[in-house]
Amino acid sequence: MKKTILGAITLVTLLVLGACGSSSADTASSGASDATEIKVGTGNEALPYAYLDENGEYDGYDVAVVKAIDEKLLDYTFTFEGADFPTTLSNLESNKVQMAAYEYEVNDERKEKFVYGDVGYVVWDTYIVSDSDAGTVYDSFEDLAGKKVYVTTATNQAAMAEAYLAENPDAFELVYGEYNNEQIVQAVTSGAVDATLAPEYQVDNWNNSFSENLEIGSEPVHNSDAYLLFNKEADQDFIDAVNTALEELKADGTIKELSEKYLDGDYVPE
């Protein structure tokens, strides 16, 4: 399997660079004075899921879901620790953070290292994404023969592509880069790669944000939901409390409202 490292493409302002250049922390809510502090790993430049807004505060769909959970759990107070996607997983494994919210799908490697929450909070059906201006739409991995595909290390999209290549060596080339919207879009539209992998609402976000014409295949290449992740040593009572709170938030419509606000549609699993 051929691998290429794609250099970072800097298209963000100095302000954002200053805020996002290293991991940072932010408190979700004040909570009770005797509440147990829980550090939550998430992203800091992954629109629309987890990012720092113009005031340097954490925002995004995953962040809002965690904040809503925090409001229901008076015995806990959450503090965010931002980092890139693979670093967040490393922080969770080392117990630098006790919980992580970063659109985590289920895969075997993560199941060995972490505890998954019981409640899915967003549908993450993966499509092959390409630039329609280039004239080709890809419906399956077979269609990508001889092409270059952008993925981010440690993501489920990288894992599924790697699994396909393990059975079909050199079918296509993986180009590894950061989980950064501008970098991904630039890679696809410039022709540096032929395609990437993402859910439909992420592609809608890219097209709206960057005025592009990215297009998805006719069918997803993988069906999945995203879940919260916990450190293996996390207290079971805490995990149960989070699961219960999230289920209640789904039942009362809060998660649907957050999905419509941040993802421009109802992408909450049944």
Side-chain angles (χ1 to χ4, degrees), residues 31-218:
S33 59
D34 59 348
T36 300
E37 181 184 9
I38 300 294
K39 293 183 178 179
V40 182
T42 193
N44 52 23
E45 53 177 346
L47 283 161
Y49 315 111
Y51 56 90
L52 293 170
D53 64 17
E54 63 274 11
N55 298 314
E57 301 292 331
Y58 282 95
D59 200 2
Y61 178 67
D62 290 54
V63 172
V65 168
V66 171
K67 287 180 178 179
I69 294 170
D70 191 25
E71 289 296 321
K72 294 180 70 68
L73 302 182
L74 301 182
D75 291 335
Y76 304 94
T77 185
F78 294 168
T79 301
F80 291 106
E81 292 281 345
D84 61 28
F85 194 92
T87 301
T88 300
L89 286 172
S90 297
N91 288 343
L92 184 61
E93 186 174 9
S94 67
N95 204 33
K96 183 178 180 180
V97 299
Q98 292 75 55
M99 184 175 85
Y102 207 149
E103 298 289 302
Y104 289 118
E105 301 166 82
V106 176
N107 66 40
D108 291 338
E109 181 180 356
R110 292 179 196 160
K111 286 166 67 175
E112 291 180 0
K113 294 181 178 180
F114 310 110
V115 176
Y116 274 93
D118 292 340
V119 185
Y121 62 95
V122 63
V123 173
W124 191 282
D125 291 344
T126 297
Y127 293 82
I128 299 173
V129 185
S130 60
D131 184 1
S132 62
D133 293 340
T136 304
V137 176
Y138 305 99
D139 295 324
S140 67
F141 284 129
E142 288 80 3
D143 294 342
L144 293 172
K147 304 300 182 180
K148 294 181 179 181
V149 181
Y150 186 111
V151 294
T152 299
T153 302
T155 62
N156 218 45
Q157 285 62 48
M160 68 181 69
E162 291 163 353
Y164 181 84
L165 288 173
E167 297 182 359
N168 303 273
D170 297 324
F172 49 81
E173 180 181 351
L174 290 184
V175 177
Y176 290 85
E178 296 178 9
Y179 193 90
N180 177 286
N181 290 321
E182 292 167 317
Q183 182 170 323
I184 296 169
V185 172
Q186 178 69 14
V188 175
T189 57
S190 69
V193 300
D194 300 286
T196 189
L197 303 170
E200 182 175 4
Y201 48 81
Q202 179 67 84
V203 179
D204 291 340
N205 174 266
W206 289 338
N207 286 336
N208 291 332
S209 298
F210 303 106
S211 299
E212 296 293 351
N213 295 302
L214 300 177
E215 192 168 346
I216 61 174
S218 59

Side-chain angles (χ1 to χ4, degrees), residues 16-29:
V16 175
L17 279 174
C20 300
S22 60
S23 63
S24 52
D26 186 31
T27 302
S29 69

